Amino acid sequence: TCKQKEDISGWVRSIRSQKSNLFLHLNDGSSLQSLQVVASPELNDPSLTFGSAVEVTGVLKKSPHRNQPVELEADQIHVVGECNPVDFPFKTKERHSLEYIRQFPHLRCRTNAFSSLLRVRSEATTAIHSYFKENGFVQIHTPVITSNDCEGAGELFQVEVEGENFFSVPAYLTVSGQLHLEVMSGAFSRVYTFGPTFRAENSQSRRHLAEFHMVEAEVSFTESLEDLTKVMEDMFRSATEHVLAHCAEDVDLFHKHVTPGHRNAVDFMLKERFPLYINFSSSFSQWGCDLQTEHEKYLVKHCGNIPVFVTDYPYDLKPFYARDNKDHPRHSAAAVDLLVPGVGELCGGSLREERLDLLRARLEEVGLEDTYSWYLDLRRFGSVPHGGFGLGFERYLQCILGVDSIKDVIPFPRFSHSCPL
Amino acid sequence: TCKQKEDISGWVRSIRSQKSNLFLHLNDGSSLQSLQVVASPELNDPSLTFGSAVEVTGVLKKSPHRNQPVELEADQIHVVGECNPVDFPFKTKERHSLEYIRQFPHLRCRTNAFSSLLRVRSEATTAIHSYFKENGFVQIHTPVITSNDCEGAGELFQVEVEGENFFSVPAYLTVSGQLHLEVMSGAFSRVYTFGPTFRAENSQSRRHLAEFHMVEAEVSFTESLEDLTKVMEDMFRSATEHVLAHCAEDVDLFHKHVTPGHRNAVDFMLKERFPLYINFSSSFSQWGCDLQTEHEKYLVKHCGNIPVFVTDYPYDLKPFYARDNKDHPRHSAAAVDLLVPGVGELCGGSLREERLDLLRARLEEVGLEDTYSWYLDLRRFGSVPHGGFGLGFERYLQCILGVDSIKDVIPFPRFSHSCPL
């Protein structure tokens, strides 16, 4: 039994004053579990309230309670930061909804639910980096500011300095790091990027944000979609197993209190290899129309509420870089989406058109051969068959935690008409 | 001796045709070292040129050469992507300068120097994440788009959608994740972020970019700058040792061919703890003037070309959040910079003003108490003494590799009048 004095700091998560003892729960953000502090009732103080920050001096002892290894026997408690319980929007012992706490973007990390979310998010980030590292991928920081408007999508944020023509060309926030990753696919067999991505969508959907995180990977020397679906599935599996193992307590908070029963759904998803490849053409009679949210939902449900890969989309639905399957020229493209229960599209990927003549022809038709002359260069010099995909990181968190709104799985959500702080 | 056939793909880095043998060096981006392919001269082909992509079938054998464990005895060579040696900007056996290859942002990863750079960058990223993970920091994805113009600095990029008022408020690209990390410092003892950061500087300096990467950390429950300098130094040391150990070959390319002798400089920096705390006030007689590049250079040189911490800056030079030292109220602030040889300022940090009354007074003076009411809230509810710092990741790479221009340590440099791709 060590009698050495310890100084321990944290925020007060609960206070219980009994006749002979004062009990505090102190949390420093390192885990969901708080440290129990036991003190004499004389150390109580009006400023010792839920949410206040304290420094406690005392001796760590083995706890008599089963669910905590140690407790702190305090002989000094110093309130370093008060917290007026009337003004503080969170109340002790109340379980606030995710929607309620979302109103306080600068304070919501002080709730159990959101601090758990942030630890899970941090751990999931680590897990994804580990997966790629262990599988020989080189991480590339693709740029946020870009002069290419990628797929000609209209949903672009422009970047400007007032009164200046800073970059001499129109510049935008990236909607995908893919084309920049493809540059790297001319020298590295396996590359990935994990960073912020942007869409100026006016949607207020529970699955869309103006700023979100995307994991994107690109694999060279492959001519098969299966090489890509293998990476998608292995990454999903490896990250999820890592998070379940390393963040059990935090994940449980969601699986028990936020979406009761969701753990079963996750275990079910992981049970077997994602077995189903649904060929797009066999799924829907109306060739040429893209899948709508309701189709996605139907497909996932139809397959037994497990993740499902949908492959070989109509050629005209896919951007210029998607590879022609040549089963019927310009009929279908070698593209694949991963749909998951509750969320819908989690990943989208394709083989890229590596054949110079086919790519040039397609770009010429839309008058973009000059804009993308650099991209055509990649096919002029040592072009290789390659492909890649992107995963929406927030949707991934929604999927494994069972969180309904994407706004509740990101520290500072940005969407139309909302950019506080 | 295994006789199994292997299919190996890569890009041709050299070709040597002898009477009895054809030798190729094949590189797939996984390391600087290429695989030697030995084939019969009949397998030579005009399309087998420097930079072309090939698939080779053959048997891996123990190599008779000391510096390569294996070589591939080929019986088939298939050129999958040709590379016209006249048009390709890089020539076999030529050593192109970093400045020359920078002209080809979409192709420069195909040179030895830049592919080494990218592997080092990837490994350094891993090393920094590992350091924080091992030391109990939670990773936070701070937002890129923000409505706070932070230090009132003029160097802001605005984010817009043409003809819309997308966010209802003016929105900018972040110049620092600090204030968002400070939000998290109200619930986590240790947090960090590692992501893109932006400055609309018109500078064409060798140390500035419009888009760069910053590592920022924030530590709660500290009242000493030494707690921060310890994290800065430990991170620098741990990342550098990791990179030197895991990327030896790639680092050597720079230390031998790009900046000959730089390895000694790096070893010298790591030899002893960064010993010198120069108190700003004792360094320069003109109190109230900031350090200029030439002062920084002088200081580093004066201290023997090792990293040096400069502390306790004039209060008025520092932003509103810097903590008043109270040695003489509003005289000096608890701020610290880390200066390193060749690069100058690598890190900047400070203790943050956690006292509500002092912070409010300072914000009121500049009329910002409403804009920053959320930030004041952090001091209203469970405020704790805390501090943090930011490290410029590209400058860090310049420092350990000895690379003169910051444009040569980032995949896609963005600066004024330059945003290709």
Side-chain angles (χ1 to χ4, degrees):
Chain A
T1 56
C2 168
K3 284 281 177 192
Q4 205 190 315
K5 285 279 158 71
E6 306 267 355
D7 292 317
I8 290 186
S9 306
W11 291 271
V12 174
R13 286 280 162 93
S14 81
I15 304 157
R16 197 154 41 93
S17 190
Q18 289 185 346
K19 215 177 187 178
S20 53
N21 276 316
L22 171 71
F23 293 100
L24 300 181
H25 277 112
L26 218 61
N27 192 287
D28 69 354
S30 59
S31 74
L32 181 60
Q33 198 173 22
S34 296
L35 176 70
Q36 173 151 292
V37 176
V38 188
S40 140
E42 290 111 65
L43 294 186
N44 207 346
D45 181 293
S47 66
L48 205 56
T49 60
F50 175 67
S52 61
V54 299
E55 285 169 2
V56 181
T57 308
V59 178
L60 276 178
K61 292 212 166 150
K62 201 161 174 271
S63 171
H65 300 286
R66 239 176 358 123
N67 50 358
Q68 54 186 32
V70 292
E71 59 183 32
L72 186 71
E73 215 175 84
D75 33 54
Q76 274 183 52
I77 300 178
H78 174 218
V79 176
V80 294
E82 301 188 5
C83 184
N84 183 326
V86 177
D87 299 336
F88 194 53
F90 310 125
K91 308 302 172 192
T92 181
K93 284 179 191 161
E94 265 185 51
R95 191 176 297 282
H96 304 286
S97 72
L98 292 177
E99 209 161 0
Y100 173 78
I101 67 171
R102 200 195 298 153
Q103 298 171 80
F104 310 97
H106 59 310
L107 298 174
R108 68 173 171 163
C109 60
R110 305 184 189 205
T111 63
N112 281 339
F114 206 66
S115 66
S116 280
L117 181 278
L118 290 170
R119 277 187 299 271
V120 170
R121 192 178 160 108
S122 176
E123 198 66 49
T125 305
T126 301
I128 286 169
H129 284 299
S130 299
Y131 169 78
F132 283 114
K133 172 92 182 144
E134 283 158 20
N135 287 279
F137 285 77
V138 173
Q139 185 182 359
I140 302 293
H141 292 117
T142 51
V144 165
I145 304 177
T146 174
S147 56
N148 84 60
D149 61 357
C150 204
E151 306 163 29
E155 297 151 345
L156 287 173
F157 287 107
Q158 243 187 308
V159 176
E160 276 168 10
V161 181
E162 219 172 277
E164 287 183 46
N165 189 3
F166 190 88
F167 289 115
S168 303
V169 293
Y172 311 97
L173 295 185
T174 185
V175 297
S176 160
Q178 179 199 319
L179 301 190
H180 297 98
L181 272 191
E182 281 192 74
V183 164
M184 301 306 167
S185 289
F188 298 93
S189 303
R190 317 191 109 196
V191 287
Y192 81 104
T193 186
F194 185 171
T197 319
F198 307 85
R199 295 282 154 85
E201 270 177 305
N202 253 310
S203 147
Q204 291 278 357
S205 116
R206 62 175 196 84
R207 304 188 308 157
H208 293 89
L209 288 170
E211 174 176 346
F212 56 101
H213 271 70
M214 200 139 72
V215 178
E216 295 179 275
E218 204 70 28
V219 179
S220 292
F221 301 105
T222 175
E223 292 175 81
S224 98
L225 277 183
E226 281 79 0
D227 282 351
L228 300 183
T229 57
K230 185 171 181 337
V231 176
M232 291 186 210
E233 178 171 353
D234 286 354
M235 175 183 62
F236 181 97
R237 201 171 282 281
S238 144
T240 307
E241 281 161 4
H242 178 107
V243 168
L244 294 178
H246 290 80
C247 275
E249 230 184 5
D250 294 311
V251 170
D252 273 2
L253 182 147
F254 284 87
H255 289 174
K256 285 185 179 147
H257 302 302
V258 178
T259 315
H262 192 69
R263 177 55 184 256
N264 287 340
V266 174
D267 287 341
F268 190 67
M269 281 194 258
L270 292 175
K271 234 173 76 181
E272 289 171 40
R273 301 296 300 182
F274 304 167
L276 291 156
Y277 288 66
I278 296 200
N279 189 295
F280 188 100
S281 60
S282 65
S283 323
F284 295 96
S285 50
Q286 274 210 286
W287 188 255
C289 296
D290 210 350
L291 296 186
Q292 303 299 316
T293 309
E294 53 269 31
H295 299 130
E296 294 177 357
K297 275 190 189 158
Y298 173 84
L299 269 177
V300 169
K301 203 173 166 189
H302 178 78
C303 296
N305 282 311
I306 53 164
V308 45
F309 288 110
V310 181
T311 65
D312 300 317
Y313 281 68
Y315 185 81
D316 289 332
L317 287 182
K318 291 291 163 184
F320 67 83
Y321 49 71
R323 192 177 199 274
D324 191 341
N325 265 329
K326 275 252 179 165
D327 51 343
H328 183 303
R330 305 211 156 191
H331 179 67
S332 72
V336 56
D337 280 359
L338 174 61
L339 311 180
V340 296
V343 170
E345 185 189 333
L346 179 67
C347 299
S350 73
L351 297 179
R352 322 303 189 185
E353 188 54 79
E354 87 281 8
R355 294 159 294 189
L356 179 60
D357 50 341
L358 276 76
L359 184 64
R360 188 166 41 201
R362 195 163 189 191
L363 282 169
E364 276 169 0
E365 274 168 33
V366 286
L368 285 175
E369 71 277 21
D370 288 337
T371 309
Y372 286 106
S373 69
W374 66 268
Y375 188 72
L376 287 168
D377 266 2
L378 305 181
R379 276 64 174 170
R380 274 190 196 101
F381 303 116
S383 181
V384 300
H386 66 290
F389 69 90
L391 166 138
F393 182 58
E394 282 75 20
R395 289 190 182 179
Y396 168 73
L397 293 175
Q398 286 184 274
C399 170
I400 61 167
L401 295 177
V403 173
D404 191 58
S405 169
I406 197 167
K407 294 167 191 161
D408 295 327
V409 294
I410 189 166
F412 299 94
R414 273 80 178 89
F415 47 97
S416 66
H417 306 299
S418 185
C419 185
L421 277 61
Chain B
T1 56
C2 169
K3 285 280 180 191
Q4 207 191 314
K5 287 277 157 74
E6 307 266 354
D7 292 316
I8 290 186
S9 307
W11 292 269
V12 174
R13 286 282 161 91
S14 80
I15 305 159
R16 198 155 40 95
S17 190
Q18 290 185 344
K19 214 177 185 179
S20 54
N21 276 315
L22 171 72
F23 294 100
L24 300 180
H25 277 110
L26 219 59
N27 192 286
D28 69 355
S30 59
S31 74
L32 180 60
Q33 199 172 21
S34 296
L35 176 70
Q36 172 152 294
V37 176
V38 188
S40 138
E42 290 110 67
L43 294 184
N44 206 347
D45 183 294
S47 66
L48 204 56
T49 59
F50 175 67
S52 62
V54 298
E55 284 168 5
V56 181
T57 308
V59 179
L60 277 177
K61 293 212 166 153
K62 199 160 174 274
S63 171
H65 300 287
R66 240 175 358 123
N67 50 0
Q68 54 187 30
V70 292
E71 59 183 30
L72 187 71
E73 214 175 85
D75 31 54
Q76 275 183 51
I77 300 178
H78 173 219
V79 176
V80 295
E82 301 186 6
C83 186
N84 183 327
V86 177
D87 299 336
F88 194 51
F90 310 125
K91 307 304 173 194
T92 182
K93 284 180 191 163
E94 263 185 52
R95 191 176 297 283
H96 304 287
S97 73
L98 293 178
E99 210 161 359
Y100 173 78
I101 67 171
R102 200 195 298 152
Q103 298 172 79
F104 310 97
H106 59 310
L107 298 174
R108 68 173 172 165
C109 61
R110 306 185 187 202
T111 63
N112 280 338
F114 206 66
S115 66
S116 280
L117 182 277
L118 290 170
R119 278 188 299 272
V120 170
R121 192 177 162 110
S122 177
E123 198 65 50
T125 305
T126 301
I128 287 169
H129 284 300
S130 299
Y131 169 79
F132 283 114
K133 172 93 180 142
E134 282 158 20
N135 287 279
F137 285 76
V138 174
Q139 186 184 0
I140 303 292
H141 293 118
T142 51
V144 164
I145 304 177
T146 175
S147 56
N148 84 61
D149 60 357
C150 203
E151 305 161 29
E155 297 150 345
L156 287 174
F157 286 107
Q158 243 187 307
V159 175
E160 277 168 9
V161 181
E162 218 172 278
E164 287 185 45
N165 189 2
F166 190 88
F167 289 115
S168 303
V169 293
Y172 311 97
L173 294 184
T174 186
V175 297
S176 160
Q178 179 199 318
L179 301 189
H180 298 99
L181 272 192
E182 281 193 74
V183 164
M184 301 306 168
S185 290
F188 298 93
S189 304
R190 318 192 109 197
V191 286
Y192 81 104
T193 187
F194 185 172
T197 320
F198 307 84
R199 297 282 155 84
E201 270 176 306
N202 254 310
S203 147
Q204 291 278 358
S205 115
R206 64 175 194 85
R207 304 188 308 157
H208 293 89
L209 288 169
E211 174 175 347
F212 55 101
H213 271 70
M214 200 141 69
V215 178
E216 295 180 273
E218 204 68 27
V219 178
S220 292
F221 302 106
T222 176
E223 293 174 82
S224 97
L225 278 184
E226 280 80 0
D227 283 351
L228 301 184
T229 56
K230 185 172 181 335
V231 176
M232 291 186 212
E233 179 170 352
D234 287 354
M235 177 184 60
F236 182 96
R237 201 172 282 281
S238 143
T240 307
E241 280 161 2
H242 178 106
V243 168
L244 294 178
H246 291 80
C247 275
E249 229 184 6
D250 294 311
V251 170
D252 272 2
L253 182 147
F254 284 87
H255 288 176
K256 284 186 180 148
H257 301 302
V258 179
T259 316
H262 192 69
R263 178 56 184 257
N264 287 340
V266 174
D267 287 341
F268 190 66
M269 282 194 256
L270 292 175
K271 234 172 78 182
E272 288 172 40
R273 300 297 299 182
F274 304 167
L276 290 156
Y277 287 67
I278 294 200
N279 190 295
F280 188 100
S281 60
S282 64
S283 324
F284 296 95
S285 50
Q286 275 210 285
W287 188 254
C289 295
D290 210 350
L291 296 186
Q292 303 299 317
T293 308
E294 52 268 35
H295 299 130
E296 294 177 357
K297 275 191 188 158
Y298 173 84
L299 269 174
V300 168
K301 203 172 166 190
H302 178 78
C303 296
N305 282 311
I306 54 165
V308 46
F309 288 111
V310 182
T311 66
D312 300 317
Y313 281 69
Y315 186 81
D316 289 332
L317 287 183
K318 290 291 162 184
F320 67 84
Y321 50 71
R323 193 176 199 273
D324 191 341
N325 265 328
K326 276 252 180 164
D327 53 345
H328 183 299
R330 305 209 157 193
H331 179 68
S332 73
V336 56
D337 281 358
L338 175 59
L339 311 180
V340 296
V343 170
E345 185 189 332
L346 178 68
C347 299
S350 73
L351 297 179
R352 321 305 188 185
E353 188 55 79
E354 87 281 8
R355 294 159 294 189
L356 179 60
D357 50 343
L358 274 76
L359 184 63
R360 188 165 41 202
R362 195 163 188 192
L363 282 169
E364 275 169 1
E365 274 168 35
V366 284
L368 286 175
E369 71 278 20
D370 290 337
T371 310
Y372 286 106
S373 70
W374 66 270
Y375 188 71
L376 287 167
D377 266 1
L378 305 180
R379 275 63 174 171
R380 273 190 196 102
F381 303 116
S383 181
V384 300
H386 66 290
F389 69 92
L391 166 138
F393 181 58
E394 281 77 18
R395 289 190 183 180
Y396 168 72
L397 292 175
Q398 285 184 274
C399 171
I400 61 167
L401 294 178
V403 173
D404 190 57
S405 169
I406 196 166
K407 293 166 193 164
D408 296 327
V409 294
I410 189 167
F412 300 94
R414 274 79 177 90
F415 49 95
S416 65
H417 307 299
S418 185
C419 185
L421 278 60

